[in-house]
Structure formats: structure tokens, C-alpha cells
Amino acid sequence: MSCFQPSQCFGKHPQSYFPGNSSSTESSTSDVDHQAKEEVDALLSESMAQLSFQERKSGQEALHGVSKEMVETMSEINAWLTDLDIHLESIKQGSVYETAEAMDSSFVRDRDFRLSFLRSNRYSAKAAAKQILNFFFWKLHLFGREKLVKEITFSDLDDDDRDCLKNGCMQILATTDRAGRQILFHLPGLREFKVLDNELRARFFLLMCLWNSEETQRKGFVYVTYAIGCFQDKTNGAGFLETTKLVLAFPLFVAGIHECTDHPTQYVIGRAAIQIMPPSFRARFKVHLGSGQECQYILSTFGIPRQALPLSPDNSKPKLEEQLVWYDECRQREESGQINSQNSAVFPIRPSANDVLFVYGQKMTHPGNDLFRALLKERSEKYSMGSSQQKTEISDEIINDIKRAGGRFLKQDSNGLWVEVTLDEIRRKLGQMFRSLLEKYEHSPFIQARL
């Protein structure tokens, strides 16, 4: 795999990618481009009209990252799983799922495994059952029968598959959006593979990384395609339908899909994607036509920070440092024998400036921690006079303020890797910090003088 060169993005005929060039090809396709744009707009409008008011509202809330946090009760989970069993029994005959069930029923009936498909489909048992069948179809196609009821690990990728990971075409960004959701960033201009299945297996592994997080299962993730300038797809969309179907087969809620482009021909690809999407997906699909700066500004209005994008300041080159660090970590875990079903698909978290870092026995000097302490001081007096319920509400306000700023709450596990802190842990930590802060105030000379 050769290193990326900006000139390679454009192929032999760079002028064919830009609407400003007066080539005969460009002029002959302008009407087609305009028609494709109109068709995409019409498809989206028609899809929105088919949805109920609540479905449209939910789609827009998910797209903008203002959805309410999902709450699951044990009784509801049991009822959903029962419905899922019923639907699977009615459609499984002759499917790859049925083969997998015969090979290892405990694998396909695992409670957490099935619950992830329900979360992906917002607890629609019928949709979850269909997705499970599609998932096993793709798993068999890409990895063979011997891996059908086993976890997919980094060691299951061959050298050509790994090149598709390493080239940075698809990256899970280290920074989340303002709603705390993971961002899967796609640079089509970096696509390079020997055969399409190499790229599909690499994408399968990346999606496994997202799937491994229960928080991502609940919140979903945001998918951004950045096909601007030299990052336009040199393969002319080869395998686009297959890659879209693979994403749709995974038990992950796609909270938002953003296709950024500076050329109307990308609408042709957008049209193809829309036609195979369920109607509910279309409410969360956006095509942004403009320059790099214009599209980055639009993304920021949806809570996707510009500084998180893996692009050089002039938008002419990709930033691959984070991707290469992650790739090396995956390889090193395999070489050290740490690859197993528990950690094989974990995407190592790398703290950003907006994150709050909890390190035992240390006061962290970090921008996210500085903001966190400032929010505590700002609300300390109100907290001290509040009831138990009010204290919980104040703590949640602070948590939400950090998340709206694109931050997470992180701690290090026994292996020194950063992991996300649960909501209950954050609340306990906040309570401890508030008590410590108030005790300090009570014993200060200034407060004693006032008393």
C-alpha cells in the first residue's frame, strides 16, 4: 500500500472532478447532475411525507443530537426479547441464521447480542429480526462458515484487509459530537483495495469496534462522508450498494448520515443510497453541497466539531496520525496475545481537550477538567442548599454541559487504557467533589469571618 499523495486523489484527469472546469464531459453531464439533485430532493421529500409527525420529529431530534436518553426496564427488555423470538421463528427457515443457530444456539441466543439489535431498531422486534438475518448473511459471506458463531478479531483480517484499515479511508474519530456520539468519518478519495471484500471486511471490523460500546448501542453513531476536492471517490462509487447494505445489517443505530460534496454528481450516489434505505433512515440523511469550509460549518451546526475532522488546515491532505496509532495498537494486542472476544473489537479511546479525565489521587491539569471544576464552583452554593432530587438534577446539568461541549468522562482501566465512566460513577464522583469543595469553603478564613 503506497503512502497517500494529494495528487493521487485526482487520478489522471483531475479536471473531471470539478464543476468549474469547462470540459466537454462536464457540460454534457450538467443536466444529468441537476436531474440527480432534483431526484434526491424529491425522494427525501416523499419519504418525509410518508412518515408520521412523531417519526419525523424523532428523526430530526436524532440528526441534531437532542434525543432523549433511552431508558430500559427489565420487564420491557424481557417483553422485547420475547417478541424478537417470535419474529425470528417465523422468518428463519432456510436462512444463514438458522445454520448459525444449529452450530451454536448459545451464541445466537445471547441476551446482550439480541438486545443490541433491538436497540439498533429502537425496539422494533420485527425490524430487529430481519437485521439479524442480514447480519449473519454478511458474516458468512465475508468470513466463512468457520467464523459464523465466533467473534471477529483483528487476526481474522488478512494483509489486504488491514491495508484498507490503515489507509484512513474510514476512521472512528477520537472526538464525539456534542451529544457524545461516536463519529465514523469516510474519505472516499482514500479508497484503495485489491478486491471489494477486502474493504468490506475492514469496515466490518470497524463497525465491530463501535458495536462493542453499550453507550454507542444506545446513542447510535454519526456517519459522515467527505467527498470534497481531492477526497472524491476515484473508484466512481464501486461497491457502494454493498457497503451501504453492510452498514444497514449491523446492530447500530445510525443517528445521522451526512454526505458532504462540492460536486453534484455525488447526488447520484446519494440517490442510490436513499433507494435502499428504510424510510426512517431517510429522515436522518442530509446531503451538503459546498466547499470544504462551507460543509465543515454546516457539520458544526449539527454538533460535529471542525477541529475533530482528520483534515489538514487547507483541507488538501488527510490526518492519519490517530488512525495509525489505533492500527498499531490493534496489531500490538494481537502480537502480545491479548486478542480475545472481550477486547478484540475495542476501539482505543484517546482523550480530547474537551474530555474530563478521572485519575486516582491526581488533580488533572486538562482543559476538560478545568471546565468541569468551573461548573462545580458555579453551582456549589445552589447544590449545598438543594434537596436530594435537586442535587441529582444539578449533577445532571453539569454532565450535560460537558457532553454538549463534545466531552466525555474517562478513566483508565487496569491495562492503562482509557474507558468511559458510567453515569452512576460520574454522579458519585460529582457528589464527592461537591462535598470536598463545600468543606474547603467552610474551613476557609473568609467564610469563618463571615460566620
Side-chain angles (χ1 to χ4, degrees):
M1 180 65 62
S2 60
C3 294
F4 173 80
Q5 297 293 333
S7 60
Q8 292 175 353
C9 281
F10 304 106
K12 295 180 180 179
H13 305 287
Q15 70 275 10
S16 66
Y17 287 95
F18 298 97
N21 293 307
S22 56
S23 65
S24 58
T25 302
E26 191 67 39
S27 60
S28 64
T29 59
S30 59
D31 290 341
V32 176
D33 295 340
H34 182 70
Q35 181 181 352
K37 183 179 184 304
E38 288 186 338
E39 287 179 3
V40 167
D41 292 341
L43 277 171
L44 289 174
S45 297
E46 182 182 345
S47 299
M48 292 291 281
Q50 292 172 357
L51 300 175
S52 67
F53 171 78
Q54 186 57 45
E55 288 172 327
R56 291 196 300 272
K57 182 172 178 286
S58 297
Q60 290 301 302
E61 287 176 346
L63 191 62
H64 289 273
V66 293
S67 302
K68 293 181 180 179
E69 187 171 341
M70 297 192 312
V71 177
E72 300 170 346
T73 65
M74 191 58 67
S75 60
E76 286 175 329
I77 289 173
N78 290 334
W80 293 326
L81 289 170
T82 299
D83 285 345
L84 180 56
D85 282 339
I86 294 170
H87 283 288
L88 281 170
E89 286 298 316
S90 68
I91 65 173
K92 72 177 184 179
Q93 187 173 1
S95 67
V96 179
Y97 167 82
E98 189 176 39
T99 301
E101 186 180 40
M103 293 172 66
D104 186 352
S105 62
S106 64
F107 184 92
V108 301
R109 290 185 169 277
D110 180 81
R111 183 184 181 88
D112 291 337
F113 175 80
R114 291 192 169 199
L115 183 55
S116 68
F117 284 88
L118 286 164
R119 288 170 176 155
S120 165
N121 292 278
R122 292 309 186 244
Y123 309 107
S124 167
K126 182 177 181 179
K130 291 180 179 178
Q131 191 178 49
I132 288 175
L133 266 61
N134 288 333
F135 174 81
F136 279 104
F137 167 84
W138 279 105
K139 195 174 184 184
L140 175 67
H141 170 75
L142 294 175
F143 296 97
R145 183 184 174 92
E146 64 276 9
K147 296 296 297 185
L148 198 55
V149 290
K150 295 180 180 178
E151 300 290 347
I152 301 302
T153 70
F154 187 75
S155 59
D156 293 314
L157 305 179
D158 65 25
D159 289 342
D160 295 326
D161 301 338
R162 295 182 185 189
D163 282 342
C164 293
L165 279 181
K166 195 174 182 180
N167 66 20
C169 169
M170 296 287 293
Q171 303 183 38
I172 301 175
L173 303 188
T175 302
T176 61
D177 74 353
R178 69 178 166 216
R181 302 177 300 197
Q182 296 276 190
I183 303 167
L184 185 59
F185 196 73
H186 180 208
L187 290 167
L190 303 188
R191 292 185 72 197
E192 192 172 348
F193 50 82
K194 285 190 176 180
V195 295
L196 180 61
D197 279 358
N198 296 139
E199 184 178 77
L200 292 174
R201 280 189 287 270
R203 293 190 183 213
F204 192 103
F205 182 79
L206 273 172
L207 292 168
M208 286 283 294
C209 295
L210 290 171
W211 184 17
N212 191 265
S213 165
E214 183 176 328
E215 184 173 14
T216 300
Q217 289 179 21
R218 291 172 177 271
K219 291 183 175 181
F221 74 99
V222 178
Y223 188 98
V224 178
T225 294
Y226 193 86
I228 295 175
C230 71
F231 298 115
Q232 296 218 18
D233 193 345
K234 302 188 297 294
T235 70
N236 294 319
F240 180 78
L241 292 179
E242 290 86 346
T243 55
T244 302
K245 288 178 180 179
L246 177 63
V247 172
L248 295 176
F250 247 82
L252 288 164
F253 179 68
V254 186
I257 307 171
H258 299 272
E259 185 175 330
C260 303
T261 181
D262 59 355
H263 199 290
T265 53
Q266 284 294 123
Y267 273 85
V268 177
I269 296 177
R271 178 180 59 195
I274 290 168
Q275 289 173 336
I276 63 173
M277 285 180 185
S280 59
F281 267 65
R282 300 174 190 176
R284 307 191 296 275
F285 181 84
K286 288 287 185 182
V287 180
H288 311 300
L289 182 63
S291 67
Q293 286 189 339
E294 289 169 336
C295 287
Q296 288 175 39
Y297 171 76
I298 294 171
L299 290 175
S300 71
T301 66
F302 288 92
I304 301 170
R306 294 184 184 186
Q307 64 272 21
L309 306 183
L311 302 168
S312 63
D314 63 357
N315 298 322
S316 67
K317 297 178 184 178
K319 289 182 180 178
L320 300 180
E321 295 84 0
E322 293 284 348
Q323 184 74 1
L324 294 176
V325 168
W326 166 74
Y327 177 87
D328 285 339
E329 288 172 346
C330 290
R331 179 177 52 78
Q332 289 166 11
R333 284 202 305 276
E334 179 191 25
E335 292 175 352
S336 63
Q338 295 181 30
I339 294 293
N340 55 52
S341 60
Q342 279 70 47
N343 67 15
S344 63
V346 175
F347 189 90
I349 294 174
R350 289 177 290 281
S352 71
N354 298 322
D355 294 330
V356 176
L357 311 180
F358 293 146
V359 180
Y360 182 75
Q362 293 185 36
K363 180 179 179 180
M364 296 297 294
T365 303
H366 185 77
N369 291 63
D370 293 341
L371 173 60
F372 185 52
R373 284 190 287 267
L375 292 171
L376 258 73
K377 289 180 181 179
E378 181 183 289
R379 291 173 167 86
S380 59
E381 184 177 350
K382 185 178 178 182
Y383 184 91
S384 67
M385 297 185 294
S387 64
S388 177
Q389 177 62 31
Q390 288 171 330
K391 287 179 178 179
T392 300
E393 291 173 357
I394 292 169
S395 294
D396 287 348
E397 286 175 8
I398 293 174
I399 293 168
N400 290 331
D401 283 348
I402 293 294
K403 291 185 175 182
R404 275 193 290 269
R408 298 163 293 184
F409 294 85
L410 307 176
K411 66 178 182 179
Q412 289 179 302
D413 66 11
S414 57
N415 296 316
L417 298 175
W418 290 104
V419 296
E420 294 203 40
V421 181
T422 65
L423 180 60
D424 286 341
E425 286 181 279
I426 300 169
R427 284 173 173 164
R428 283 198 296 272
K429 184 68 174 176
L430 271 166
Q432 293 169 3
M433 294 180 71
F434 267 125
R435 286 192 292 274
S436 176
L437 186 64
L438 292 170
E439 287 174 5
K440 186 186 297 183
Y441 284 162
E442 287 174 2
H443 292 92
S444 72
F446 176 72
I447 295 295
Q448 291 295 325
R450 289 182 62 184
L451 295 173

